[in-house]
Amino acid sequence: MREAFAVAFGAEAAGIWSAPGRVNLIGEHTDYNGGLALPFGIDRRTRVAVRLRDDHVVRVASDFADAQAGGVVETTLDRAAQASGWSRYVLGAAHVLRRELGVPGTGFDALVSSDVPVGVGVSSSAALESAVLVALDELWGLGVERRAMIRLGQLVENEVVGAPTGTLDQSAVLLAERDHAVLLDFRAGTAEQVPLGFEAAGLEILVIDSLVRHDHATGGYGERRRECEEAARIAGVPTLREIAVDDVEAWAGRMPAAVHRRLRHVVTDTDRAARVAGFVRAGRPREIGPILTDGHRSQRDDFEDSVPAIDAAVDAAVAAGALGARLTGGGFGGAAIALVDVAASPRIQREVADAVEAAGHARPVVFAVHASQGARRDPEA
């Protein structure tokens, strides 16, 4: 990256900062409903090499295949909020930092490189935003705490990108620790590091990329969020977290059927997140598989944010011997995850890809991930 940076900008980078993608083990669409989620950072990272300038010009380049045709994106800090395309995640982070902290900042050159798949549901956008935020925080000498940085990343998504997302992705990416998941309680505003114990148990997570792409800024995500808000309004609660699992069915018939299904998914998935966290805390990670698969049924039938290729992947993974599998991320495409024995992982990867392709879908890309460290300045080589 240092060599590529020098070629792109004719100068040496001050450093390289990176942030991981994330997998959400369980707890989907619970963040903006005050619930629980259990994500972890993965060992696929977005890196950004940066140097400051002595003016307000910002130049951004990337080795993304679809970005090379556009070359270097050049603008100024004052116009950063008007960015479009992939560069809005970089420029949006600079804009939000300046506005929210009331600092002038200074211009910079940035080169982005990433092996976090885009549009898969593993938070490629949050990884990019977070890598830029930690880089500019250090270079501009701001000293922003990680919990405050989470909100800044959400503002980039909501205001600059236009995606009505919560804070799950930024929380996972910024707070992740190796071999841990982060139990996020969105009502209490707390984050607890929970050791996963997958390696000791001989387990790993497979990501099954369906190649069906989503876009939270324009897709069904916003509609589902509005339905959840309608459910809360009808139930007379600030968020769906206030509804107990045992009370879910009492609301059937008191709101539109589809809205009730959204309520049921959110409430039961918060319960599933609590149970999964309890099992891994107790050193019993092999027992979470059925809970993951039950979570997929909830997303497929109640939240209705799955797609046929994802359903086929989940079914194929379980049939091949996975302990459990489910859609991960915001849905409407993206990826499934499967909890598998390490020894069986290569076979399961092949069988899942074969089965999904045989069912008439694109052959998925399947790869293993492991819980990794959160956003940071990368150590010098």
Side-chain angles (χ1 to χ4, degrees), residues 45-198:
R45 303 185 74 85
T46 295
R47 293 176 171 82
V48 56
V50 185
R51 78 171 184 108
L52 293 184
R53 300 171 55 89
D54 57 6
D55 54 25
H56 271 209
V57 171
V58 180
R59 297 187 296 174
V60 185
S62 171
D63 65 0
F64 298 163
D66 61 351
Q68 287 179 345
V72 176
V73 175
E74 183 172 330
T75 187
T76 64
L77 285 175
D78 291 338
R79 300 184 65 186
Q82 303 169 27
S84 61
W86 68 271
S87 67
R88 60 189 166 168
Y89 296 101
V90 179
L91 297 167
H95 165 73
V96 165
L97 271 174
R98 295 178 71 226
R99 187 192 69 190
E100 294 299 305
L101 275 67
V103 298
T106 185
F108 60 91
D109 295 332
L111 174 68
V112 177
S113 181
S114 182
D115 62 1
V116 180
V118 175
V120 177
V122 292
S123 294
S124 59
S125 61
L128 178 51
E129 295 156 4
S130 298
V132 175
L133 285 170
V134 296
L136 294 180
D137 175 62
E138 179 179 336
L139 291 172
W140 287 356
L142 303 177
V144 180
E145 294 183 354
R146 286 297 171 97
R147 298 307 298 270
M149 206 174 285
I150 290 168
R151 187 183 72 87
L152 297 176
Q154 183 190 23
L155 289 175
V156 176
E157 291 280 357
N158 293 171
E159 299 184 6
V160 179
V161 178
T165 59
T167 58
L168 187 153
D169 294 352
Q170 291 80 11
S171 298
V173 168
L174 288 162
L175 302 178
E177 293 184 6
R178 186 181 179 279
D179 198 31
H180 285 67
V182 187
L183 180 62
L184 299 169
D185 185 326
F186 295 99
R187 179 174 64 183
T190 59
E192 175 193 348
Q193 297 292 339
V194 181
L196 289 170
F198 287 169

Side-chain angles (χ1 to χ4, degrees), residues 113-354:
S113 181
S114 182
D115 62 1
V116 180
V118 175
V120 177
V122 292
S123 294
S124 59
S125 61
L128 178 51
E129 295 156 4
S130 298
V132 175
L133 285 170
V134 296
L136 294 180
D137 175 62
E138 179 179 336
L139 291 172
W140 287 356
L142 303 177
V144 180
E145 294 183 354
R146 286 297 171 97
R147 298 307 298 270
M149 206 174 285
I150 290 168
R151 187 183 72 87
L152 297 176
Q154 183 190 23
L155 289 175
V156 176
E157 291 280 357
N158 293 171
E159 299 184 6
V160 179
V161 178
T165 59
T167 58
L168 187 153
D169 294 352
Q170 291 80 11
S171 298
V173 168
L174 288 162
L175 302 178
E177 293 184 6
R178 186 181 179 279
D179 198 31
H180 285 67
V182 187
L183 180 62
L184 299 169
D185 185 326
F186 295 99
R187 179 174 64 183
T190 59
E192 175 193 348
Q193 297 292 339
V194 181
L196 289 170
F198 287 169
E199 184 175 346
L203 300 172
E204 67 184 12
I205 292 287
L206 299 182
V207 173
I208 308 165
D209 176 6
S210 70
L211 304 182
V212 178
R213 293 297 176 251
H214 61 209
D215 184 343
H216 291 335
T218 60
Y221 186 104
E223 179 184 358
R224 292 295 180 273
R225 183 161 185 165
R226 288 188 293 273
E227 289 171 328
C228 290
E229 291 168 351
E230 181 180 358
R233 180 185 59 77
I234 293 172
V237 293
T239 68
L240 296 182
R241 175 67 179 279
E242 308 307 316
I243 298 176
V245 171
D246 292 343
D247 294 334
V248 166
E249 294 311 317
W251 290 100
R254 300 166 68 182
M255 58 182 65
V259 172
H260 181 256
R261 290 196 299 272
R262 312 305 183 240
L263 178 155
R264 182 166 54 206
H265 165 73
V266 169
V267 174
T268 58
D269 228 34
T270 283
D271 179 68
R272 280 184 283 270
R275 287 188 285 135
V276 168
F279 277 120
V280 295
R281 271 199 216 97
R284 299 160 61 187
R286 301 188 71 84
E287 298 179 48
I288 71 173
I291 305 176
L292 302 184
T293 306
D294 186 53
H296 180 73
R297 284 191 289 267
S298 180
Q299 284 191 264
R300 181 193 65 200
D301 300 337
D302 282 345
F303 216 70
E304 297 180 277
D305 64 343
S306 188
V307 296
I310 295 285
D311 297 337
V314 168
D315 292 344
V318 173
L323 280 69
R326 58 175 290 270
L327 167 66
T328 191
F332 307 101
I337 57 170
L339 179 67
V340 303
D341 284 292
V342 171
S345 181
R347 175 186 59 78
I348 292 174
Q349 293 184 46
R350 290 193 303 272
E351 292 185 8
V352 167
D354 289 345

Side-chain angles (χ1 to χ4, degrees), residues 27-42:
E28 221 64 79
H29 292 273
T30 55
D31 53 348
Y32 54 85
N33 287 297
L36 300 175
L38 194 66
F40 62 89
I42 63 175

